[in-house]
Amino acid sequence: MNEILKELENRRQQARLGGGQARIDAQHKKGKLTARERIELLLDNESFEELDMYVKHRCVDFGMDQTQISGDGVVTGWGTINGRQVYVYSQDFTVFGGSLSETHAQKICKVMDMAMSNGAPIIGLNDSGGARIQEGVASLAGYADVFQKNVLASGVVPQISVIMGPCAGGAVYSPAMTDFIFMVRDSSYMFVTGPDVVKTVTNEVVTAEELGGAKTHTTKSSVADGAFENDIEALEQIRRLFDFLPLSNRERPPERPFFDDARREDHSLDTLIPNNPNQPYDMKELILKLSDESDFFEVQEDFAANIVTGFIRLEGRTVGVVANQPLVLAGVLDIDSSRKAARFVRFCDAFEIPILTLVDVPGFLPGTSQEYGGVIKHGAKLLFAYGEATVPKVTLITRKAYGGAYDVMASKHLRGDFNYAWPTAEIAVMGAKGAVEILYRQELGDKKKIEKRTKDYEKRFANPFVAAERGFIDEVIAPHSTRKRICRAFASLRGKQLKNPWKKHDNIPL
């Protein structure tokens, strides 16, 4: 028996070494952790239960039968984060560059199936050179199998991808179908075709970092939701995000103890809105002052900053926030902000996370680039996302809510449950100046008349009471009481039940 146990421990030790100490040292020299070190940091101490440690590839071509390493380049299993179950796979770059083989893919698919069956999120730590060339179509089939699992898991369990090394070719599509993608600066990149292929086909000279680095994907392409300085920070932040998310679509979002008074008033909010209607202010100040202990996990902070998305807690319960940001492009809606917010709203709705919408929007961004880029269809994505959402929806208009953008931003007409406004809110088809120039075009030559008309229009429409008279605004509230009113609104909606008409699936304007 002792000999058998000794052999078992030797096999385990060999599997844990992956591609060997020399390659582990090379990984460390790049400032990167190994696959197992990453799992240890991500999960609670001693909670990891590994699966398929001894699996090896089956390829015999190109001399591959001479090199067989236990685990085949990916570590899979389950564990806990702050006591809550999660499934995880971590690609091992020390084994064949983390390349995906048929058996490598089967290991990933296995834990994804288990995650769906048992109702727990799946986190993928990606560090792979792509498909294993020696296996040819078997490797490509493995990728397709993983893609299919991503599709089936979407909306069933949260899926998080962390790009911690190269991710090229077919490897990028699995993360792209997950709910959140995070990258590590200077050591991770994503692209369909690398710099060499780009140069050959288009004659463009570009570095891997410029083509698919963290800065590119967090500021330009919107592929990634955030980027971190190193592996350690990335894994710590994933633990933080995980605490906001439900385990599956069968579970409610988690509750945690909170040490903030739900009835807290903040009189500094009474002066948040500047007297000058064209002067910006920081909407994040309002978000932080509303949330429990000022805790806010922002998603896609560096992309389309004219809209803010992320998670807060109110009375210890997760709430998704969508907010116009007057500091950037006056908080206007455009193609990028509409896409960003629509995807976030749909995620929240899929996992029963209530949505708080903070509105200060002058309209949609005008211009040929927006129209040619399809702002109509992209704006419709956000409209569609809010309209189909059945989760509790609370909306607060702080200042401007003009035109179609008023409708889009979780208005009462899109089944908003509670729609509040501050006394500073202006709800109208457009601003007073533009409206007067259209309504009284024949008087444009008379400056005094136009000024009087503008003041009359402002008096009539630059307030929330016309909408309140119609029942489109449920209450005009004092800014200092906002946290209390919003907490009570969400508390009253905890038993909400709303179903859309039966359908196989919708046809959102992609």
Side-chain angles (χ1 to χ4, degrees), residues 278-458:
N278 297 317
Q279 185 177 334
Y281 61 94
D282 189 356
M283 187 66 86
K284 289 184 190 179
E285 182 180 342
L286 174 57
I287 295 171
L288 293 173
K289 288 179 176 178
L290 286 180
S291 61
D292 291 354
E293 291 96 32
S294 297
D295 188 17
F296 175 45
F297 188 97
E298 188 168 356
V299 176
Q300 287 202 326
E301 180 178 4
D302 298 320
F303 178 76
N306 44 320
I307 206 158
V308 178
T309 55
F311 299 104
I312 63 171
R313 292 185 185 88
L314 294 174
E315 297 190 89
R317 299 166 186 256
T318 301
V319 172
V321 176
V322 178
N324 305 115
Q325 174 57 288
L327 283 179
V328 182
L329 293 174
V332 72
L333 286 174
D334 59 4
I335 290 171
D336 290 341
S337 61
S338 297
R339 287 195 300 115
K340 170 182 169 179
R343 178 159 172 78
F344 183 78
V345 167
R346 296 194 96 210
F347 173 83
C348 290
D349 189 49
F351 291 102
E352 287 298 318
I353 297 172
I355 301 169
L356 170 63
T357 307
L358 304 175
V359 183
D360 186 351
V361 60
F364 279 90
L365 183 64
T368 55
S369 64
Q370 288 291 305
E371 296 295 351
Y372 297 167
V375 68
I376 296 170
K377 183 160 279 194
H378 293 294
K381 290 176 184 176
L382 183 55
L383 176 62
F384 197 110
Y386 270 124
E388 73 169 343
T390 59
V391 293
K393 292 183 284 191
V394 176
T395 302
L396 170 67
I397 300 172
T398 61
R399 190 166 63 175
K400 297 173 183 174
Y402 290 164
Y406 154 72
D407 288 325
V408 169
M409 293 298 293
S411 62
K412 178 64 73 176
H413 325 286
L414 298 182
R415 301 189 297 187
D417 294 297
F418 284 91
N419 290 70
Y420 293 136
W422 282 356
T424 48
E426 304 172 18
I427 304 168
V429 174
M430 61 176 64
K433 185 174 182 294
V436 167
E437 287 175 357
I438 292 171
L439 292 171
Y440 303 102
R441 188 179 289 112
Q442 69 279 10
E443 298 178 6
L444 285 177
D446 191 328
K447 191 175 178 182
K448 285 186 178 178
K449 268 191 178 181
I450 290 296
E451 283 179 0
K452 185 178 181 303
R453 298 287 192 190
T454 302
K455 284 178 182 175
D456 289 343
Y457 188 93
E458 286 174 348

Side-chain angles (χ1 to χ4, degrees), residues 51 67 161 168 185 198 241 247 291 293 314 387 431 435 455 473 510:
L51 302 170
T67 310
S161 296
R185 293 189 181 96
V198 169
L241 170 62
L247 294 179
S291 61
E293 291 96 32
L314 294 174
K455 284 178 182 175
I473 295 296
L510 293 174

